[in-house]
Amino acid sequence: MATVSPPFISSLNFTQSSSFKTSFASSSFTPKLLRPLSSFSVKSSRKQVEIVFDPDERLNKIGDHVDKEAPLSRLNLFSPCKINVFLRITGKREDGFHDLASLFHVISLGDTIKFSLSPSKSKDRLSTNVQGVPVDGRNLIIKALNLYRKKTGSNKFFWIHLDKKVPTGAGLGGGSSNAATALWAANQLNGGLVTEKELQEWSSEIGSDIPFFFSHGAAYCTGRGEIVQDLPPPFPLDLPMVLIKPREACSTAEVYKRLRLDQTSNINPLTLLENVSSDGVSQSICVNDLEPPAFSVLPSLKRLKQRIIASGRGEYDAVFMSGSGSTIVGIGSPDPPQFIYDDEEYKNVFLSEANFMTREANEWYKEPASATATTSSAESRMDFQGEISKL
């Protein structure tokens, strides 16, 4: 009788990896002819048989074996930005930096970064979709990878592509997030040589905001920003917001240069945390001591904030500047006021809607689906109250 070969076998292409070919070649992969379906017919001299063959199960086992044996060589990661729900500047340090106390929260706007192991043993290669973003040692991604090799002794280098969506000079921590994401990726692609805690501690050497992104998404940050107290999410994750950034950026150095400590808010930041716990987001909670100097650097930014508040007609729970600017955040609605569309002055502003987001333990941030998951406001607030009582 002629051998019967299912069409599936001849159509398979086993050229994906050498380990795949080895596993396949060493495997028994013979379909069996079983169970006669009818008696032998004298008239037709033919016998019906059923081929019992489950290629999916077999290939799944081979794929599992390959995944287990092959080292990780590529990662595609989401790199979200943050907002400062409130930002108090509490003093100036001897090292020239300022002490701050701020409620940071990750939001759903972010970049995508692709990492691949490079055959090079001497250089990383970074590309991006945006002109003007440095791709050499000035970029925090490259600084982060150099830091990882310095701390661990790893000799692995990478090809990186940054698909940038977070604007620069926005007060959203996009570069800091990229650096944290690069450290996490390097550790994964080196087999997890160190803990996230070590990555968080090292990251403060190249940027004050970077350690925050190793929280789970919400944190009370003090010192230069590098002292991170992880918090449960204080707000429902589906609470919408709109981000409005004019074309002009604010120089962080210039904003701090114009800061007058005697003109900052005198409210205790722990009181702000307690108010967040009891009242959620409100205009009185969203204090940013960097707004006055930023508005001095960029007077049009103050006018933009005032117009959003006036035009919102109560649509927003709070309107404030994030970080050192120049992004204005409106929490409570994903839609900008109509004048943003109508006025020639604002035709080139950056606009994005967003939500709060968090990450799971031992995982990096996931790019959100179109529908953002909700969380119980009451349950979340109770956890938040419990944590701030320890501060």
Side-chain angles (χ1 to χ4, degrees), residues 136-177:
D136 54 16
R138 294 171 294 167
N139 192 293
L140 279 170
I141 292 174
I142 301 298
K143 289 182 179 180
L145 296 175
N146 286 334
L147 177 68
Y148 185 84
R149 285 186 289 265
K150 173 186 172 183
K151 295 291 189 180
T152 64
S154 168
N155 63 353
K156 292 182 178 179
F157 289 79
F158 304 92
W159 288 335
I160 315 103
H161 180 73
L162 170 63
D163 185 6
K164 194 131 194 76
K165 296 183 177 65
V166 178
T168 57
L172 298 174
S176 296
S177 173

Side-chain angles (χ1 to χ4, degrees), residues 103-369:
L103 175 57
F104 282 63
H105 209 304
V106 169
I107 60 173
S108 57
L109 172 66
D111 305 327
T112 301
I113 314 179
K114 296 178 181 178
F115 297 88
S116 299
L117 286 176
S118 169
S120 170
K121 294 299 180 184
S122 62
K123 188 177 181 181
D124 298 303
R125 189 178 73 188
L126 172 64
S127 61
T128 182
N129 63 321
V130 177
Q131 290 185 343
V133 175
V135 293
D136 54 16
R138 294 171 294 167
N139 192 293
L140 279 170
I141 292 174
I142 301 298
K143 289 182 179 180
L145 296 175
N146 286 334
L147 177 68
Y148 185 84
R149 285 186 289 265
K150 173 186 172 183
K151 295 291 189 180
T152 64
S154 168
N155 63 353
K156 292 182 178 179
F157 289 79
F158 304 92
W159 288 335
I160 315 103
H161 180 73
L162 170 63
D163 185 6
K164 194 131 194 76
K165 296 183 177 65
V166 178
T168 57
L172 298 174
S176 296
S177 173
N178 291 167
T181 304
L183 283 171
W184 198 87
N187 197 44
Q188 293 297 304
L189 293 169
N190 278 275
L193 296 177
V194 297
T195 64
E196 280 192 19
K197 187 67 175 174
E198 289 172 291
L199 296 177
Q200 185 180 50
E201 291 172 355
W202 297 345
S203 68
S204 66
E205 296 182 21
I206 57 173
S208 299
D209 288 351
I210 302 172
F212 159 69
F213 288 96
F214 289 99
S215 73
H216 290 120
Y220 180 62
C221 299
T222 54
R224 293 184 290 112
E226 84 285 7
I227 302 172
V228 179
Q229 174 66 50
D230 221 335
L231 294 173
F235 314 112
L237 297 184
D238 59 350
L239 181 62
M241 69 187 75
V242 62
L243 311 176
I244 305 173
K245 181 199 173 294
R247 291 186 65 185
E248 300 86 358
C250 281
S251 163
T252 300
E254 185 62 27
V255 170
Y256 274 100
K257 183 179 177 180
R258 299 196 188 195
L259 175 68
R260 295 276 304 272
L261 288 173
D262 60 345
Q263 296 179 359
T264 59
S265 169
N266 58 11
I267 188 169
N268 188 322
L270 290 178
T271 300
L272 291 174
L273 266 186
E274 291 169 1
N275 292 344
V276 167
S277 173
S278 59
D279 303 330
V281 177
S282 68
Q283 192 66 49
S284 63
I285 285 169
C286 297
V287 174
N288 186 343
D289 285 337
L290 294 182
E291 281 190 5
F295 294 164
S296 172
V297 172
L298 198 61
S300 60
L301 196 58
K302 180 178 182 179
R303 186 168 65 253
L304 173 61
K305 178 187 173 182
Q306 291 173 336
R307 290 195 65 181
I308 293 171
I309 292 173
S311 302
R313 297 192 179 96
E315 189 175 7
Y316 306 109
D317 300 318
V319 177
F320 56 93
M321 186 184 80
S322 180
S324 57
S326 57
T327 300
I328 301 295
V329 182
I331 293 186
S333 171
D335 302 315
Q338 187 61 39
F339 77 85
I340 293 291
Y341 298 112
D342 294 341
D343 287 16
E344 186 72 12
E345 179 182 359
Y346 300 110
K347 68 176 183 179
N348 291 320
V349 299
F350 171 87
L351 282 176
S352 177
E353 61 182 77
N355 299 89
F356 293 108
M357 69 176 296
T358 57
R359 72 181 178 106
E360 299 296 325
N362 303 315
E363 295 183 7
W364 201 241
Y365 299 95
K366 305 294 186 186
E367 186 165 10

